[in-house]
């Protein structure tokens, strides 16, 4: 890749996807979304970030139901979901695939409806993950008219590409391919059909200004909650003073 | 287990004594690994060879459940996930689920919270938005779907038909009340009045309110009645909900208690690795659970 | 008032500035007198001649409401009771109710709690046991009665007929979600992150969760982020729910703040006596509310 | 009256009504029920008493909804209700009577169903209070079959007499008349019809042992929360050391 880490590229893409959201909730094992939020904060955006399961402190005082109540109230603008499988209709499977058991649906069956936007994020981009039809729908990508649904998928970001969700067509559209990958490779590795314009852009890499923030204040903000991640991404490059704390 | 113990918080000697209160076959509500799990009592349940336990994850489960499943104590699991977090999949749960050795009642976090809150309020159900269209719904015959009665003046129909029928009008799912036989968790402090301090882990209070009995291990005894202390009171679960208490210093280990000790990540990683095989899990049990002197971390 | 302010807790100068945020005609949820009422802001609302306010008692009201009613700021009251407690009936409420000057939406405590909890969870209603057979039900067309859908496999019918019909099968009442325009209360502490400390007065957190905006006065500013402090966190309402904050030392007076100052019983008794007549109430307003230098107790 | 205060007699009656209940909740302006609970506690009974709105501390940590949740869970055995009016079917009116407005129904419409037993307690015994039919039913004394109801009225205690509730007949039965009152006086002052055996007992006064407890540990326990009440009842007799605290 270029003069930046893959994690830095992905965090930059997520930061652009978050855009002007007011409140983002980031789950436990999500260092890259957390990095994206820290990047926006470092840029001076007035973004509220609720990091779930921080090592010290946490944003909640009503126990583990508060995240779901917040979302029910309409106070979560952006949430993230992964998936053992994701299909072309943006259905998410966190339960089982090909005889293998995964942890379970967590709160996906609610959060996918209640958060205003959900960014699907899975680094592995393969036909094993991106399937024509999920084996088990933990949370559906869309709902019939008459069924309450505040929000749904915004985009699907993988280690190779960015897809935008088209609610009207209930299909993904390939938005950009990351530097180092190609449209052909993306087609080969995607198990579902998707729309695609006549030309496909390359995903914009992080700017020099963004990289400076990422390697300075962002790295220092991320290190306490994700020490292994911060060490891997930044310690070998330009070690921020607190990354090893 | 029918009578609610209103005036009888019992002070027991240790985790073994608490484990002895929990009968085989009981439905036990357990917190996530990050929320004061009573690991010392869980180990004592393994030692007393508890059988046919039905675990309820509030709303997810971790090492706590994996130990009990691996040791053959568990018949059924209702939860929205089982995971060791940073340490990966819960290996004994995963193998048991893949081999079909467990009755699994798949859920999603807020359905469990809402079911417990229904029991907390003494109502038979609580409605929840979302969830419709998840394959979870078809698996759970105890989850009902109705037309939103606040919007519909005429008849409202219980879902015999599919909720996605176009004549379904603003369908909404109902979580049935969940009243577990036992709530089991750890507390930072207890006092002589039988109150316990849970801090911001309010899901534990909800479990105790909803459950028929609550068994609580604690780090240390604190002087005075914590409910009379305005600073501590917001984090207290009152003794009216506490059936029995026992001291268990470092009782959450290898998991953590905020401000007391952190999660023992290295131990959790070692467990995750060992428990990948039945033999490795057996060795772990022998070394860390069945050997009395190693019941909890020496640190 | 439609947008929920996720990232914009504003720090205002004083109670007057908070009162200026509350528009005429707003539905304001207020706590009982024993639960951190924002009396300084209430007095400021009287001074700014607020009009047509709709008060929601959570679940009962006291002097807070009586002042606003007597001063002509109130069009509607929804509550399960209005009382000055030891000091007797709330005189301005009582007269206004007897003369039919208020739109009254009579309720019972847990229906209000359940309605707010429904809004807190983003669901349209919450069921409650009891209440059926109370004359309250006939007065409240927004309270619906349905057959318990968990028991009935076939059709369930919204109450057009009386719930006491013998073919009604396990009827249960539904509290509609209540999402007040404004939650207004006082806090012991605030911090620079915009969090406030309410201690065990958790009903205030529920109001704030359910409301479209929350305005909070506070006794004093505390250093550090209270949500990062495990001892204080259980009593904190996070800034995500707080629209605007302002300092108001002794801001609950003549009511109390636990561990700071007790209820001023003598003042409350004097108010109850003075407010028995319109003239007495006017004199009370002149002396204690409209005269700026007497906005709060000198003690 | 005898060598005891009326409040002591009433507290003794309530203590007997509470019997072997495990958990009693006592409202704000209820010094006599609180005295009854303190008497049971002083006798060594293992009674749990939740005093609502204590001046210092309180038994709850979930805010004002906790009482109702406790009752919904079935954890409140005995509760007390008064009433601007109470009728012969044990209906309670806390809202309005004869053009006068009262505070409102509070939680009565729920607690009367959810508490296992409710003791109706109103010191004033007059045709103004004890009416044939209440003007407004805040909470009904009984419910049709098929309507969920865990508990209901146990008894009605006034300043003149004790009535037992007969659920099968949906009527009160006069149980005993307090010393100083008569059956005739009770009939004169009661606006509803009630059953009555061939002979009516006199309400048993507090025993010497009970009086000793009432004037010692009970007075000391009650004084902090009900100072005016404690001073009125006990200070003039045999002042307990802490009664003025």
């Amino acid at each position: 890749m270029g003069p930046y880490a893959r994690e830095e590229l992905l965090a930059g893409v997520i930061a652009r996807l978050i855009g002007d959201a007011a409140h983002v909730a980031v789950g436990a094992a999500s260092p890259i979304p957390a990095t994206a939020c820290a990047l926006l904060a470092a840029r001076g955006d007035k973004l509220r970030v609720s990091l779930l399961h921080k090592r010290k402190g946490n944003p909640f005082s009503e126990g583990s139901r508060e995240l779901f109540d917040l979302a029910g109230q309409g106070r979560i603008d952006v949430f993230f979901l992964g998936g053992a499988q994701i299909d072309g209709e943006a259905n998410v499977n966190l339960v089982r695939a090909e005889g293998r058991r995964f942890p379970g649906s967590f709160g996906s069956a609610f959060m996918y409806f209640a958060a205003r936007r959900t960014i699907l994020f899975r680094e592995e981009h393969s036909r094993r993950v991106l399937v024509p039809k999920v084996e088990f729908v933990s949370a559906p990508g869309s709902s019939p008219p008459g069924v309450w649904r505040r929000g749904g998928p915004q985009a699907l970001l993988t280690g190779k590409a960015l897809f935008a969700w088209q609610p009207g067509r209930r299909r993904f559209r390939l938005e950009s391919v990351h530097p180092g990958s190609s449209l052909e490779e993306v087609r080969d590795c995607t198990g579902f059909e998707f729309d695609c314009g006549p030309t496909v852009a390359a995903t914009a890499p992080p700017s020099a200004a963004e990289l400076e923030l990422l390697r300075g204040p962002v790295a220092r903000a991320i290190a306490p909650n994700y020490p292994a991640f911060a060490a891997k991404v930044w310690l070998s490059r330009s070690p921020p003073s607190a990354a090893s704390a | 287990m029918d009578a609610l113990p209103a005036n009888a918080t019992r002070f027991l000697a240790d985790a073994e004594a608490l484990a002895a209160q929990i009968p085989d076959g009981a439905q036990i509500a357990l917190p996530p690994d990050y929320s004061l799990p009573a690991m010392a009592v869980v180990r004592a349940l393994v030692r007393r060879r508890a059988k046919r336990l039905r675990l309820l994850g509030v709303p997810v489960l971790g090492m706590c459940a994996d130990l009990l499943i691996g040791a053959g104590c568990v018949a059924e699991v209702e939860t929205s996930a089982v995971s060791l977090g940073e340490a990966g999949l819960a290996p004994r749960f995963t193998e048991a689920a893949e081999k079909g050795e467990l009755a699994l009642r798949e859920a999603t976090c807020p359905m469990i919270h809402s079911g417990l809150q229904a029991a907390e309020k003494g109502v038979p159900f609580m409605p929840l938005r979302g969830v419709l269209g998840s394959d979870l719904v078809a698996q759970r015959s105890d989850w009902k779907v109705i037309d939103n009665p606040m919007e519909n003046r005429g008849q409202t129909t219980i879902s015999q038909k599919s909720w996605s029928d176009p004549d379904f009008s603003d369908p909404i799912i109902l979580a049935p009340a969940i009243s577990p036989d036992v709530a089991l968790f750890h507390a930072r402090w207890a006092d002589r009045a039988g109150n316990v301090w849970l801090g911001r882990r309010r899901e534990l209070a909800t479990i105790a309110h909803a459950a028929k009995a609550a068994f609580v291990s604690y780090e240390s005894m604190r002087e005075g009645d914590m409910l009379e202390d305005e600073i501590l009171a917001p984090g207290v679960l009152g003794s009216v909900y506490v059936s029995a208490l026992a001291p268990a210093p470092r009782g959450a280990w290898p998991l953590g208690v905020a401000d007391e000790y952190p999660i023992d990540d290295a131990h959790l990683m070692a467990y995750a690795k060992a428990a990948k095989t039945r033999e490795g899990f057996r060795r772990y049990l022998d070394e860390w659970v069945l050997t009395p002197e190693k019941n909890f971390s020496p640190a």
Side-chain angles (χ1 to χ4, degrees), chain A, chain B:
Chain A
M1 247 185 189
Y4 48 82
R6 188 172 42 95
E7 293 85 353
E8 290 173 325
L9 173 91
L10 295 172
V13 174
I14 292 175
R16 288 193 289 276
L17 289 171
I18 291 172
D20 62 354
H23 186 181
V24 180
V26 178
S30 306
I32 292 176
T35 300
C37 294
L39 176 59
L40 289 165
R43 259 181 17 197
D45 291 24
K46 275 188 167 287
L47 178 69
R48 178 183 293 276
V49 182
S50 289
L51 283 183
L52 316 177
H53 316 315
K54 284 167 66 182
R55 290 254 142 169
K56 286 205 171 189
N58 81 42
F60 300 141
S61 56
E62 295 272 340
S64 52
R65 74 164 171 262
E66 188 168 355
L67 169 68
F68 307 105
D69 288 353
L70 268 169
Q73 292 154 30
R75 296 187 204 253
I76 304 281
D77 294 305
V78 178
F79 192 66
F80 297 89
L81 281 178
Q85 296 180 323
I86 298 169
D87 70 22
E89 297 195 356
N91 297 311
V92 166
N93 172 12
L94 295 155
V95 169
R96 56 167 185 260
E98 297 172 341
R100 290 182 61 206
R101 169 73 207 194
F102 292 89
S105 298
F106 291 95
S108 62
F110 176 75
M111 295 299 288
Y112 210 10
F113 290 73
R116 293 181 189 278
R117 299 187 249 140
T118 293
I119 297 172
L120 301 172
F121 176 52
R122 179 80 203 255
E123 285 190 74
E124 179 179 338
H125 189 140
S126 69
R127 287 182 173 262
R128 206 177 66 115
V129 170
L130 305 182
V131 296
K133 183 114 193 66
V134 294
E135 279 184 42
F136 184 97
V137 179
S138 286
S142 62
S143 302
V147 170
W148 183 95
R149 182 156 192 156
R150 181 182 286 121
Q154 173 187 1
L156 165 62
L157 178 65
T158 71
K160 295 188 193 300
L162 171 66
F163 298 89
W165 176 247
Q166 308 169 106
R169 296 173 57 83
R170 293 173 60 204
R171 277 167 73 93
F172 286 108
R173 187 188 70 237
L174 184 63
E175 198 69 16
S176 65
V177 174
H178 305 340
S181 298
S182 66
L183 173 58
E184 190 178 19
E185 184 188 347
V186 167
R187 284 205 191 281
D188 276 353
C189 298
T190 306
F192 55 74
E193 294 190 9
F194 54 87
D195 293 342
C196 184
T199 59
V200 174
T203 306
S207 68
E210 282 175 330
L211 285 174
E212 199 178 322
L213 290 174
L214 283 164
R215 292 162 188 182
V218 171
R220 284 192 295 275
I222 289 299
N225 284 310
Y226 303 98
F229 173 84
K232 184 183 113 195
V233 178
W234 292 300
L235 214 57
S236 55
R237 276 172 198 272
S238 63
S241 57
S244 58
Chain B
M1 300 242 149
D2 258 6
L4 293 165
N7 56 357
T9 302
R10 283 168 299 142
F11 291 83
L12 304 180
D14 54 20
E16 313 291 327
L18 275 184
Q21 300 291 315
I22 300 174
D24 288 349
Q27 185 187 28
I28 311 183
L30 294 172
D33 281 355
Y34 56 78
S35 182
L36 298 171
M39 288 299 293
V41 184
V42 163
R43 286 187 289 265
L45 282 167
V46 172
R47 283 194 292 276
R48 88 149 185 72
R49 301 184 182 283
K51 290 287 171 221
R52 301 184 310 282
L53 299 178
R54 292 174 296 133
L55 307 187
L56 174 72
V58 185
V60 300
L61 292 166
M63 183 178 178
C64 211
D66 207 55
L67 260 188
L68 288 168
I69 293 167
C73 304
V74 177
E76 179 190 288
V77 176
E78 175 169 2
T79 189
S80 46
V82 187
S83 153
L84 297 185
E86 308 285 305
L89 296 177
R92 292 297 93 210
F93 163 75
T94 305
E95 185 180 310
E98 287 175 354
K99 293 194 172 165
E101 295 167 352
L102 285 173
L104 267 176
R105 293 159 61 82
E106 301 273 354
T108 184
C109 305
M111 283 294 277
I112 292 175
H113 289 306
S114 291
L116 290 166
Q117 285 185 280
E120 180 180 55
K121 302 193 93 58
V123 294
F125 65 91
M126 205 162 274
L128 186 69
R129 284 305 195 182
V131 187
L132 301 171
S134 165
D135 284 344
L136 294 167
V137 181
Q139 295 194 340
R140 295 293 303 255
S141 61
D142 56 332
W143 294 0
K144 300 260 186 286
V145 182
I146 62 169
D147 288 319
N148 175 3
M150 307 315 272
E151 292 302 322
N152 295 284
R153 295 247 148 205
Q155 299 245 304
T156 184
T157 306
I158 306 268
S159 175
Q160 306 290 3
K161 64 181 187 295
S162 159
W163 58 269
S164 55
D165 265 15
D167 62 331
F168 224 120
S169 163
D170 192 15
I172 189 165
I173 197 161
L174 308 181
I178 309 174
S179 187
D181 295 322
V182 171
L184 174 64
F185 49 83
H186 189 66
R188 184 169 177 189
W189 296 306
D191 68 25
R192 299 283 164 205
N195 305 306
V196 296
W197 195 84
L198 310 170
R200 67 170 111 202
R201 303 286 12 149
R202 301 308 297 167
E203 61 270 25
L204 301 181
T206 309
I207 302 174
H209 299 165
K212 301 186 185 80
F215 298 113
V216 187
S217 58
Y218 60 87
E219 281 298 306
S220 58
M221 183 62 68
R222 205 177 160 106
E223 289 312 304
D225 183 333
M226 293 188 289
L227 273 176
E228 302 283 320
D229 179 326
E230 294 297 327
I231 302 292
L232 292 178
V236 167
L237 172 73
S239 58
V240 64
Y241 306 102
V242 181
S243 313
L245 277 170
R250 294 186 66 81
W253 177 88
L255 300 158
V257 173
D259 281 357
E260 296 274 350
Y261 45 92
I263 294 182
D264 184 342
D265 287 306
H267 187 96
L268 215 62
M269 289 289 189
Y271 170 79
K273 198 173 161 194
K276 282 221 169 87
T277 64
R278 291 203 182 210
E279 301 67 43
F281 178 77
R282 271 289 141 205
R283 279 196 304 275
Y284 178 90
L285 277 194
D286 283 343
E287 183 172 7
W288 294 102
V289 178
L290 302 175
T291 313
E293 61 266 41
K294 277 214 184 164
N295 284 354
F296 45 84
S297 159

